[in-house]
Amino acid sequence: MTQAAPAYDRVGIVRAFDVQARACDALGSPLTAFLLRGVIADYQAGGASRDLLAPLESRQQWEAVTSLRLAGALHFLVLAGRTPGLAAYYPSAGGTFREDGFRAEMERAMRGEAGFIEAFIRRAPQTNEVRRTGALVGGFLIIAARTGLPLRCLEVGASAGLNLHWDRFRYDFAGAAWGDRASPVTIGTAWTGDAPETGVSARVIERAGCDINPIDLSSAEAVLRLKSYVWPDHPGRFRILERATDLARRHPVALETADAADWTARHLAEPRPGVATVVFHSIAAQYFSDGTRAAFEAAIRDAGHRASGAAPVAWLRMEQASPVQLPEIRLTIWPGGHDLLLGHAHPHGLFAHWMPRS
């Protein structure tokens, strides 16, 4: 048996699962919300989830997102065809969600696949939410307009690198549109406030990314892991992910297995005249350690001090301060280094509230 964790750690697990369940209610995933509440009941009763989650009980839950790790593990098993009883409840596997019998199948899966789940949840969640580019694109267009230069895009926490192809997507927002009309990926964003500057031409001439565990799109198992973090009752997100994956396979981008701080420092070591270098990320910084976060930001600001009109540096990010706050879209451009709050967005990019242009 796993050694008992301090009581406050178990309280933290329950609280974190409850917060995430309420977030799933608000974001339209009743299946995931019901699953997480079922885990709470099982965990408090000393069921299968107690031993599964014990290794993560002492972690800071906002950073560990234990709830999404476990939900992703169960979804992976469903998508892989290893838990047919549970799959009958998952729309992503052709099933129909209903509450009756769901938790019994969930508990059976946790008991029967405990070894796999324990290994799966050791790794941080891997998501690649393509619709977030529907908010980030507003920042990219501002950078292109203000610098008048082609873009060199560097993404940290890139996962499979799908969002590095942001300029190859088509965007519809606020009655306006931008991007490739023939793109197989269309991002529709409910937009309030000033619309992006759709008359701007943005040309990406270099793109690269890093991740602690990058997703290899040539690996069927890795792609399945990526899909497992999409909520099972969100078919629209699945369709966009699959189309963006196909597009990315046609335009391979080198992704490096690396710490965000070290990788960024190397790529920003020397100014690059003739291009605007853009470091960007979305819902990634919360997974950085305190040391990585401090070193990462220091690397960007050091590069900013060396920036010039001929070799500008920009830092574009979409990050969430807490689970109950909307992510902020922020942009800093050097030289100058003024930090701009561009707006707020839905965590999955369904809508964006944009600030008035100055």
Side-chain angles (χ1 to χ4, degrees), residues 21-164:
R22 285 187 278 117
C24 292
D25 284 331
L27 297 174
S29 182
L31 185 156
T32 310
F34 189 73
L35 181 152
L36 296 179
R37 292 189 173 105
V39 173
I40 291 174
D42 177 81
Y43 180 82
Q44 290 179 320
S49 62
R50 177 66 66 85
D51 284 347
L52 289 174
L53 299 180
L56 296 173
E57 285 172 340
S58 61
R59 295 281 300 275
Q60 210 288 334
Q61 289 301 308
W62 166 234
E63 296 174 354
V65 282
T66 303
S67 56
L68 296 186
R69 294 182 191 224
L70 182 55
L74 290 169
H75 195 191
F76 185 101
L77 291 168
V78 164
L79 295 174
R82 292 170 58 168
T83 52
L86 188 58
Y89 295 83
Y90 275 60
S92 56
T96 302
F97 171 60
R98 60 190 187 281
E99 295 185 359
D100 182 42
F102 181 97
R103 288 178 178 169
E105 291 295 341
M106 179 193 74
E107 291 166 8
R108 185 175 294 113
M110 287 193 293
R111 290 192 302 271
E113 293 283 358
F116 170 84
I117 295 172
E118 286 175 355
F120 188 100
I121 66 177
R122 289 193 194 108
R123 290 174 55 180
Q126 279 281 25
T127 61
N128 211 160
E129 192 59 60
V130 179
R131 293 188 72 162
R132 290 174 186 152
T133 62
L136 291 171
V137 67
F140 285 119
L141 296 180
I142 289 173
I143 297 164
R146 294 194 180 184
T147 66
L149 295 170
L151 306 181
R152 173 190 180 220
C153 293
L154 307 175
E155 185 181 15
V156 296
S159 191
L162 302 184
N163 291 353
L164 278 162

Side-chain angles (χ1 to χ4, degrees), residues 248-288:
R249 285 184 174 129
R250 295 197 299 273
H251 303 278
V253 174
L255 298 178
E256 189 173 344
T257 302
D259 173 81
D262 296 339
W263 186 86
T264 301
R266 281 193 283 111
H267 280 73
L268 299 183
E270 298 292 337
R272 289 285 298 274
V275 299
T277 295
V278 185
V279 178
F280 75 100
H281 50 91
S282 56
I283 317 297
Q286 74 186 59
Y287 302 118
F288 297 170

